[in-house]
Amino acid sequence: MEYADLLIENHGKVAVIRLNRPKAMNALNDNMMNELGDALYKFDADPSVNVIVLTGSEKVFAAGADIAAMANYTYADTYPGNYIGRNWEHILNVRKPVIGVVAGYALGGGCELAMMCDFLIAADSAKFGQPEIKVGVTPGAGGTQRLPRTIGKAKAMDMLLTSRMIDAAEAERTGLVSRIFPADKLMEEALAVANTIAEMPVSVAMAIKDSVNRAFETTLTEGVRYERRFFHAAFGTPAQKEGMSAFLAKRKANFEGM
Ligand code: DAK
């Protein structure tokens, strides 16, 4: 897979997608978002891939939507043209786990894209922010919605209204990222996490992802009912037979193709 604004790496069952516009701090433009959608859908459909990692460079995950591209947009380019909606949210349709791996800046649309991943692993160099107010717009890809749900209203309002960046330690403390690693070990450690998941039954990983995401869209009772259906259905799958018989036989389970 060859792209102008992405680099692709394969690590066994883990596919790595790297945002790659180094001269523009990986600013997100239409071409990159179209390519990202294409790569995500291909890996989601590829039976040899169980987990997708989305990352940037050592210096930047993404410094936001491309301000140079947006500067002269009119209302017609945005609302009727469905700017953001038309190609930024493909990642939300991906059914396999997507881990966001962030070093350096994740700002504006970059922070919003990171928050669309299933969870985030960060380098100690990571900095997260929603500085859209400084360029005269509101966030447009979920910043005012996902940030308060993740880190709480007070911190989210502070970041969104002042444009203050938070560092990796504050991001971990507030629940925006799950783990922090030293920058020079980031990819090695993130791939180890991704490989742990890739060795699990992919069908169960997909069901867990689906169920967790329901928690944000429904009541507790309905969410638990949704989860329970997956749990019951699991007893009709090879993954449950293999997992439980391997446990009882005191051997390592082999979930290949499950
Ligand atoms: N877009 C375009 N180019 C960018 C960019 C961006 N977001 N960020 C950086 N660059 C470019 C710089 O212009 C510079 O280009 P040259 O001058 O070399 O040609 C190059 O990347 C290197 O940047 P710096 O020289 O500034 O590098 P520094 O290390 O000094 O600073 C920085 C790094 C990330 C702190 C700084 O570049 C920065 O503050 N960047 C802008 C961050 C920002 O404001 N991000 C939010 C963007 S607004 C909506 C839809 C979408 C959105 C909102 C609404 N609707 C539909 C309603 C989303 C908006 C945003 O994301």
Side-chain angles (χ1 to χ4, degrees):
M1 288 156 75
E2 292 272 325
Y3 295 106
D5 295 326
L6 304 176
L7 298 173
I8 303 295
E9 298 162 21
N10 288 302
H11 297 264
K13 293 177 190 161
V14 179
V16 177
I17 302 173
R18 241 177 229 286
L19 306 174
N20 184 44
R21 293 187 70 213
K23 290 190 181 137
M25 300 292 276
N26 288 347
L28 307 165
N29 65 6
D30 254 339
N31 185 62
M32 186 191 265
M33 300 318 278
N34 286 334
E35 291 185 351
L36 180 58
D38 185 78
L40 286 166
Y41 288 136
K42 281 187 176 144
F43 288 134
D44 207 29
D46 182 344
S48 70
V49 170
N50 283 6
V51 176
I52 301 167
V53 166
L54 177 62
T55 191
S57 67
E58 285 172 15
K59 190 173 172 195
V60 62
F61 179 77
D66 188 332
I67 298 170
M70 277 190 295
N72 294 320
Y73 275 5
T74 62
Y75 179 75
D77 294 317
T78 55
Y79 183 64
N82 197 17
Y83 178 49
I84 303 292
R86 67 178 174 244
N87 57 4
W88 277 53
E89 291 169 329
H90 294 304
I91 191 167
L92 301 177
N93 300 325
V94 174
R95 298 168 75 224
K96 291 174 183 168
V98 181
I99 307 174
V101 176
V102 176
Y105 298 107
L107 303 179
C111 188
E112 292 171 306
L113 180 65
M115 287 191 288
M116 290 183 210
C117 296
D118 296 317
F119 67 97
L120 294 179
I121 292 174
D124 48 13
S125 64
K127 288 192 192 314
F128 297 86
Q130 297 286 166
E132 286 90 341
I133 194 167
K134 285 208 296 192
V135 291
V137 292
T138 67
T144 65
Q145 303 304 303
R146 291 196 179 88
L147 200 58
R149 279 171 170 78
T150 309
I151 70 174
K153 180 181 170 186
K155 289 270 185 193
M157 283 285 193
D158 178 357
M159 287 175 67
L160 288 156
L161 294 174
T162 68
S163 85
R164 178 173 79 87
M165 290 185 214
I166 61 171
D167 63 15
E170 191 169 358
E172 188 190 29
R173 210 161 56 238
T174 53
L176 183 59
V177 310
S178 70
R179 311 191 200 188
I180 305 174
F181 295 109
D184 61 348
K185 293 264 184 289
L186 178 68
M187 274 318 282
E188 180 187 330
E189 298 287 358
L191 284 172
V193 176
N195 272 313
T196 300
I197 300 168
E199 292 305 316
M200 307 293 180
V202 67
S203 60
V204 183
M206 289 162 79
I208 289 172
K209 167 171 173 163
D210 195 353
S211 298
V212 172
N213 284 331
R214 279 313 277 182
F216 296 93
E217 306 288 347
T218 192
T219 63
L220 179 59
T221 304
E222 281 307 315
V224 172
R225 191 171 294 168
Y226 194 80
E227 174 197 89
R228 189 75 36 86
R229 295 292 169 263
F230 274 123
F231 175 69
H232 290 160
F235 288 84
T237 66
Q240 178 269 337
K241 299 288 172 278
E242 169 63 9
M244 293 193 182
S245 57
F247 176 82
L248 293 173
K250 302 189 188 303
R251 64 172 172 82
K252 188 174 182 298
N254 177 359
F255 293 118
E256 193 64 43
M258 297 180 194

